[in-house]
DNA sequence: CGATCAATTGAGTCTCTTCAATACGCGTGG
DNA sequence: CCACGCGTATTGAAGAGACTCAATTGATCG
């Protein structure tokens, strides 16, 4: 039952240098957003300065704490600094569906303030830290700096692209493929933010939550994970998932990262 | 097998007055987009004029014709004038998932030009007519007119909201609920554009395509439709779907239109 | 009046769910 | 330091919803 390589933590939830304000400026929490946006968009010095200069309030939330409640007005405008958050919707019969998972650095509804009433909830998955700014300040920046406006639009479009891929996952792939796909996606997203080693990741959720994410019962999740392990595609040690062969897992998960739009856009 | 009320067409695919250029301006095709955006956002006279003045090219496409191909650069920037279009993704095993359905008036990738490579395909479902404008013209308008920029952002966010609801549909609802939900959604979207009567709609797709949309096999779609009909929730006459009791169908489909964001936003 | 595609129906199978119970890990308090 | 309690993980067995395979009917069109 014990891992042959020992229990090396593949991921650190709080990475030194990310948690702390990385630049000068008012308080600099939003500079992290700048780094994130710079992954896919070109920002000039002014754009970065504008973000770094935002007066952000730092907040901490315990697991299941709400950032946004379905049915309530949307006022939040935040960046996830540490920990994981998720979006969820609930069906009439009580069934839950996690429709998105957010990793540190993700923008949380910088734009959704354009919609009046939240159509879903956003909650902390683990203990998290977020930086929030007033809605007005964000709208101002959006108007004043075209570069940031475009970058945020692109961020939004990439999230929509993930939604589409998840629909394909839910609608047209079986349990095994679905879970392998999700693990591949999460791994690559974490590695991109330097939050996971190449050889594996720590799953930040219970099997029940994973079930709500991939549209399966926790029982079937459990059996499917075992199946993946028996086939050598993953090695489990508590919630540590070691991935001996990323390409093999990607194949099993029908995973092609194109939809993540990891490349930097031209303009 | 024949409908007791006869075969009254509930929907006309090409509505007089919508197909034709409704206003003056260069050629006015994009004025339709203005009317659409005005459903959820406030546009001033200048915004409308800017849209109406766009030099748009009118194009016609046969069913299955591509507007956008997955893997290709995104250059299209269009509005759907008549007919239906859909977005789809394909799994490795050949399974298809329709991830969005577009009705006349819908904006087709006004914004996706911000992403380099298309992650999915957009195709005509029926014979369609679209109005396209050069990418550059759209980007210019987006920069020059804040009101339009916000309206288009909101349009994008609403589409993302539909994606989330569809994920819930695919992941957590059974076949019957799923289909009832989709029918309720389509009906309300069509009625909003005056493309369907209150008592029903014409389904613009085959049962196989409906299967690809709700993540089911065509056989099971067929049986589920029959089940809905046997319970009096719908009455079918070819592809005409009569809905005797909208509230009942909505209940069966666990349908709450909040996610469509039909209300007009404040700012 | 075939030809063709969509819709329908039947029968059997399988994936995934439901129900039920047990084991494990970990923090807490005695 | 160990017993207890609780949430998570695991396993078994049975049932149901959806799928596959196969064949027939129906509608439309040249």
């Amino acid at each position: 039952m014990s891992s042959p390589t020992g229990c090396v933590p593949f991921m650190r939830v709080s990475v030194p240098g990310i948690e702390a304000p990385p630049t000068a400026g008012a308080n600099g929490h939003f500079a992290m957003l700048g780094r994130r946006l710079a992954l896919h968009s070109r920002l000039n010095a002014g754009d970065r300065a504008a973000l770094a200069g935002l007066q952000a309030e730092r907040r901490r939330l315990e697991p299941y704490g709400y950032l946004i409640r379905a049915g309530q007005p949307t006022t939040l405008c935040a960046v996830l600094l540490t920990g994981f958050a998720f979006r969820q919707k609930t069906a009439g019969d009580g069934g839950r569906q996690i429709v998105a998972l957010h990793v540190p650095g993700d923008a949380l509804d910088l734009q959704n303030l354009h919609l009046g009433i939240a159509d879903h909830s956003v909650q902390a998955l683990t203990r998290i830290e977020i930086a929030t700014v007033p809605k007005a300040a964000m709208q101002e920046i959006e108007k004043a700096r075209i570069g940031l406006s475009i970058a945020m639009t692109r961020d939004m479009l990439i999230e929509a692209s993930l939604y589409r891929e998840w629909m394909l996952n839910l609608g047209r792939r079986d349990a095994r493929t679905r879970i392998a796909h999700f693990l591949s996606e999460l791994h690559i997203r974490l590695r991109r933010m330097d939050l996971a080693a190449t050889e594996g990741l720590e799953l930040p959720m219970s099997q029940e939550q994973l079930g709500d994410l991939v549209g399966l019962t926790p029982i079937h999740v459990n059996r499917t994970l075992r199946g993946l392990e028996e086939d050598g595609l993953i090695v489990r040690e508590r919630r540590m998932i070691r991935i001996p062969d990323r390409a093999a897992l990607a194949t099993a998960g029908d995973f092609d990262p194109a939809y993540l739009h990891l490349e930097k856009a031209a303009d």
Side-chain angles (χ1 to χ4, degrees), chain A:
Chain A
M1 194 70 78
S2 69
S3 157
T5 59
C7 183
V8 185
F10 293 130
M11 197 214 67
R12 295 152 298 179
V13 171
S14 70
V15 173
I18 285 195
E19 200 170 28
T23 69
N27 54 21
H29 293 326
F30 263 64
M32 184 168 190
L33 177 60
R35 288 209 306 282
R36 163 51 173 276
L37 295 177
L39 287 175
H40 55 65
S41 300
R42 291 182 204 289
L43 303 183
N44 60 35
D47 294 334
R48 288 169 194 279
L51 285 178
L54 275 172
Q55 273 296 348
E57 188 189 331
R58 194 173 183 129
R59 276 209 289 155
R60 205 176 285 264
L61 270 136
E62 294 303 308
Y64 290 104
Y66 281 88
L67 287 93
I68 296 172
R69 266 177 211 277
Q72 304 277 308
T74 57
T75 55
L76 187 85
C77 203
V79 174
L80 185 55
L81 299 173
T82 63
F84 294 87
F86 64 97
R87 296 172 189 276
Q88 77 158 19
K89 299 197 65 142
T90 309
D93 66 352
R96 294 164 186 285
Q97 179 67 43
I98 293 178
V99 296
L101 177 67
H102 288 294
V103 305
D106 277 7
L108 300 172
D109 301 282
L110 290 186
Q111 334 79 1
N112 270 20
L113 39 86
H114 289 302
L115 289 180
I117 303 295
D119 51 75
H120 66 289
S121 298
V122 183
Q123 288 175 267
L125 178 60
T126 61
R127 178 175 298 188
I128 65 173
E129 287 179 304
I130 59 172
T132 65
V133 291
K135 182 168 170 165
M138 211 64 221
Q139 284 175 328
E140 206 169 290
I141 258 195
E142 210 179 352
K143 286 180 187 173
R145 305 211 64 90
I146 288 286
L148 283 177
S149 167
I150 291 178
M152 282 161 48
T153 296
R154 191 170 286 138
D155 215 65
M156 211 182 321
L157 289 170
I158 292 174
E159 187 168 338
S161 177
L162 296 219
Y163 289 163
R164 286 188 293 263
E165 182 72 18
W166 283 32
M167 272 190 256
L168 177 60
N169 220 19
L170 290 168
R172 285 300 180 206
R173 296 203 258 244
D174 64 18
R176 177 191 174 87
T177 315
R178 235 181 269 186
I179 289 182
H181 186 281
F182 169 69
L183 291 177
S184 295
E185 178 191 306
L186 181 58
H187 192 211
I188 210 170
R189 286 174 65 193
L190 289 173
R191 275 187 295 140
R192 191 164 79 124
M193 299 301 284
D194 283 317
L195 292 168
T198 33
E199 59 268 21
L201 72 157
E202 180 175 338
L203 205 58
M205 66 190 78
S206 69
Q207 292 181 3
E208 177 161 14
Q209 291 165 333
L210 179 53
D212 284 342
L213 192 148
V214 293
L216 298 167
T217 54
I219 292 94
H220 203 60
V221 166
N222 183 293
R223 290 178 173 137
T224 307
L225 284 173
R226 175 155 58 95
L228 289 172
E229 189 165 31
E230 281 168 358
D231 295 343
L233 289 169
I234 60 173
V235 180
R236 290 179 299 161
E237 173 75 27
R238 326 236 355 81
R239 289 184 185 176
M240 293 290 183
I241 308 279
R242 195 154 56 81
I243 302 172
D245 183 346
R246 276 177 292 151
L249 186 66
T251 302
D254 190 23
F255 178 76
D256 174 352
Y259 72 96
L260 293 170
H261 295 277
L262 299 176
E263 79 289 351
K264 187 172 274 197
D267 64 346

